Amino acid sequence: MTTTIGLEIHVQLATQTKMFCGCSTAFGDEPNTHVCPVCLGLPGALPTLNAQAVRLATRIATALGCTVHEVSEFSRKNYFYPDLPKSYQITQFDRPIATGGSLPIVTERGARSVRLTRAHIEEDAGKSMHAADITLGGETLVDFNRCGMPLIEIVTEPDMQSGDEAYEFLRNLRRLVRWLGVSSGDMEKGAMRCDVNVSVSPDPAKRGTKVEIKNLNSFRSVKRAIDYEEQRQAQCLTDCTPIMTETRHFDEVQGTTTSMRSKEASNDYRYFPEPDLPLLQLDPTELESVRTQMPELPWEVQSRFERDLGLSPYDAALLTEERSTAEFFQQTIALYDNPKKVASYMGTEVARLLNERGKTLTETQLTPVALAGLLTMVEDNAISNTASKDVLPLLVDTGTTPMEAVRSLGLEQVSDTSALEGFAREVIAENTTQVDQFRNGKEAVLAFLVGQLMKKSKGKANPKLAGDTLRRLLK
């Protein structure tokens, strides 16, 4: 069986106002408070195009290698649904803002690019909240705050063959939109949603019947929906059961898809040019400016980190998940020239604290200067690596310097020979059995004795000097 997968991804553009009106795009406010005659579709209200949305759409399309067209056109897509007050959506049909392009992914099949069909800008519908299973009916509430939100819809070619590949595509797309500041990419808040088209065929040379799964809002849901639908269609083919061209709903709890409706064709939507908006004409000079000012893209930075700095693919990918993280890392290694150590510390200790606090790096007080200073103190044996983990939270939360944090916590490392000798003699006197084992050639016992010394010093002793002192006294 051969599986063919294509994606349609709706990315909410990071503007302050909606696509065709001045209503706020703020998330999480009281329902139906960010509305006006335009986004409610009241008679006589006319749309005004959001210029910032066009700029952001142009930016992401350029980064994806699309052909950005200087002239494009808005159309009306006519259909009735409770969360669409105008009974049509302003979108782009046969003259989108961009066509072509691709996005690189790395999977078990190796590194390759997934081709794109097109990218077009449009407005979002409202949000329907169903009190019962959507397929069983029941009470539905509608929030029109989302109605009119600016979107770019990115449509792929059917180039993927598994849920894992679709997962990787979405992960890399979200990394890109965040990198460019085009969108938050926050699927939990609806800033990125995905429709999946899946077909399974017994003949690798032919595609099967395409089935659409609507409005998946997490990477995990996309993968689970594809995996289930792939198995369902394969079983239908085995049982000689017809596969219908339809739209299906994914049940998050059951992990299954159920039929919603037959799939519409483009003529069902009765597209025609939007009469209230002129053709969208882009300035060639501005388009060229977008191209020349495009930053190094995340996969390009990742490749450079691996090639020039010797980082592992895992560390390099982690550091390039967010543009601010990559910039922080580069500023830190300019001050502390040990890329692998910085990458390791950021990927473990710093990442752990960020996860605990539910913050991004830019939302903390930690600076590249502070992190470089902390790692330098560890390298100079001013504090132990263990003690640095106690210092780091102060740097993250308060912005204090490493030296001030160390002093406030009383964590200055003990390197004074006489003090270490005092601790060492106590350890030797209290652990005669292990001392005899060491003197009889059991070298590994020294680590135990060093650990006992570290306890006595409350973690302040320099571990290397502690070991050297014990070894000298045990001769």
Side-chain angles (χ1 to χ4, degrees):
M1 298 286 183
T2 299
T3 302
T4 304
I5 299 164
L7 303 178
E8 300 171 13
I9 306 101
H10 295 85
V11 177
Q12 183 177 316
L13 299 169
T15 61
Q16 297 298 310
T17 56
K18 293 185 181 181
M19 191 73 204
F20 298 112
C21 68
C23 291
S24 171
T25 57
F27 177 82
D29 290 347
E30 287 295 314
N32 300 311
T33 54
H34 299 313
V35 293
C36 72
V38 174
C39 53
L40 288 178
L42 299 185
L46 295 175
T48 301
L49 181 60
N50 187 326
Q52 179 62 7
V54 175
R55 282 190 286 268
L56 293 176
T58 302
R59 186 172 172 82
I60 185 63
T62 301
L64 289 168
C66 302
T67 298
V68 180
H69 302 291
E70 293 182 11
V71 180
S72 59
E73 182 179 60
F74 288 100
S75 295
R76 287 189 182 182
K77 179 181 181 181
N78 296 274
Y79 64 97
F80 173 77
Y81 206 70
D83 57 18
L84 194 70
K86 296 194 295 285
S87 291
Y88 65 84
Q89 176 192 35
I90 301 178
T91 181
Q92 294 185 309
F93 178 47
D94 52 356
R95 299 182 71 181
I97 193 171
T99 52
S102 64
L103 181 75
I105 62 171
V106 179
T107 66
E108 292 180 352
R109 292 205 290 160
R112 61 191 189 86
S113 291
V114 174
R115 295 171 300 155
L116 306 179
T117 306
R118 57 185 279 151
H120 61 265
I121 49 182
E122 62 186 19
E123 62 177 343
D124 204 349
K127 181 179 181 181
S128 296
M129 291 164 285
H130 305 281
D133 188 320
I134 189 174
T135 62
L136 300 177
E139 185 180 71
T140 296
L141 303 176
V142 180
D143 180 5
F144 289 113
N145 281 354
R146 199 174 73 184
C147 195
M149 291 287 194
L151 303 177
I152 181 168
E153 180 175 351
I154 298 166
V155 182
T156 79
E157 290 290 313
D159 283 357
M160 289 159 278
Q161 296 182 358
S162 69
D164 287 329
E165 290 187 352
Y167 182 102
E168 178 61 20
F169 179 92
L170 290 170
R171 190 196 67 80
N172 221 19
L173 179 61
R174 184 179 69 174
R175 179 167 69 153
L176 179 61
V177 298
R178 287 179 169 177
W179 190 275
L180 297 174
V182 166
S183 172
S184 69
D186 193 335
M187 298 189 80
E188 291 73 23
K189 294 181 179 179
M192 189 170 167
R193 303 193 301 280
C194 182
D195 301 338
V196 177
N197 295 304
V198 184
S199 68
V200 177
S201 172
D203 184 355
K206 296 181 180 179
R207 291 179 189 159
T209 301
K210 183 173 71 173
V211 173
E212 181 185 46
I213 310 170
K214 291 288 286 185
N215 291 330
L216 299 165
N217 59 6
S218 75
F219 296 165
R220 183 169 176 269
S221 294
V222 169
K223 183 181 183 310
R224 290 176 66 212
I226 291 173
D227 290 346
Y228 173 81
E229 187 61 23
E230 185 177 18
Q231 294 174 11
R232 185 190 74 84
Q233 291 187 33
Q235 189 62 50
C236 287
L237 292 171
T238 300
D239 298 341
C240 297
T241 302
I243 298 172
M244 307 302 294
T245 300
E246 61 181 346
T247 297
R248 297 179 71 86
H249 165 70
F250 178 66
D251 187 313
E252 296 276 358
V253 177
Q254 300 297 325
T256 60
T257 64
T258 51
S259 181
M260 290 175 63
R261 59 179 180 268
S262 60
K263 176 61 180 169
E264 301 90 344
S266 61
N267 60 337
D268 293 322
Y269 292 115
R270 306 186 310 282
Y271 285 98
F272 63 86
E274 170 56 58
D276 292 333
L277 289 170
L279 293 175
L280 174 57
Q281 301 190 47
L282 303 179
D283 185 340
T285 304
E286 289 189 14
L287 286 179
E288 183 58 29
S289 177
V290 170
R291 295 188 188 97
T292 57
Q293 294 178 21
M294 185 64 59
E296 193 177 15
L297 299 179
W299 44 84
E300 296 170 342
V301 177
Q302 179 179 342
S303 178
R304 176 165 59 82
F305 283 176
E306 294 176 30
R307 181 184 65 249
D308 298 347
L309 302 179
L311 299 187
S312 68
Y314 174 83
D315 283 344
L318 194 65
L319 290 168
T320 53
E321 190 63 30
E322 303 278 354
R323 188 175 176 184
S324 58
T325 304
E327 291 173 347
F328 187 102
F329 169 73
Q330 292 179 99
Q331 292 168 18
T332 303
I333 63 174
L335 301 167
Y336 179 76
D337 190 15
N338 190 331
K340 290 184 178 180
K341 187 169 183 179
V342 174
S344 175
Y345 205 84
M346 288 183 65
T348 53
E349 300 308 321
V350 175
R352 176 180 59 80
L353 281 180
L354 296 180
N355 287 336
E356 288 177 359
R357 285 154 174 73
K359 292 183 176 181
T360 64
L361 199 52
T362 55
E363 294 171 333
T364 72
Q365 300 296 315
L366 185 64
T367 65
V369 172
L371 182 58
L374 180 63
L375 295 176
T376 299
M377 291 182 76
V378 174
E379 185 173 295
D380 292 344
N381 293 316
I383 59 171
S384 66
N385 189 61
T386 300
S388 76
K389 299 174 185 178
D390 296 323
V391 174
L392 184 62
L394 285 180
L395 307 185
V396 169
D397 296 334
T398 69
T400 187
T401 67
M403 184 59 71
E404 290 171 344
V406 167
R407 286 173 179 163
S408 69
L409 295 171
L411 294 175
E412 297 96 326
Q413 191 155 279
V414 176
S415 298
D416 178 68
T417 305
S418 61
L420 289 175
E421 280 192 10
F423 291 133
R425 292 185 190 281
E426 291 179 20
V427 169
I428 291 170
E430 295 169 3
N431 298 276
T432 55
T433 300
Q434 287 80 8
V435 168
D436 289 341
Q437 290 174 344
F438 178 79
R439 284 174 171 161
N440 289 327
K442 196 171 182 181
E443 186 74 20
V445 175
L446 183 64
F448 169 80
L449 297 173
V450 170
Q452 296 304 304
L453 191 152
M454 294 300 293
K455 286 182 181 179
K456 285 190 172 292
S457 69
K458 297 181 179 179
K460 296 181 182 180
N462 182 317
K464 183 178 184 306
L465 292 179
D468 292 344
T469 301
L470 283 165
R471 190 182 294 277
R472 176 167 53 80
L473 293 175
L474 290 170
K475 284 183 179 179

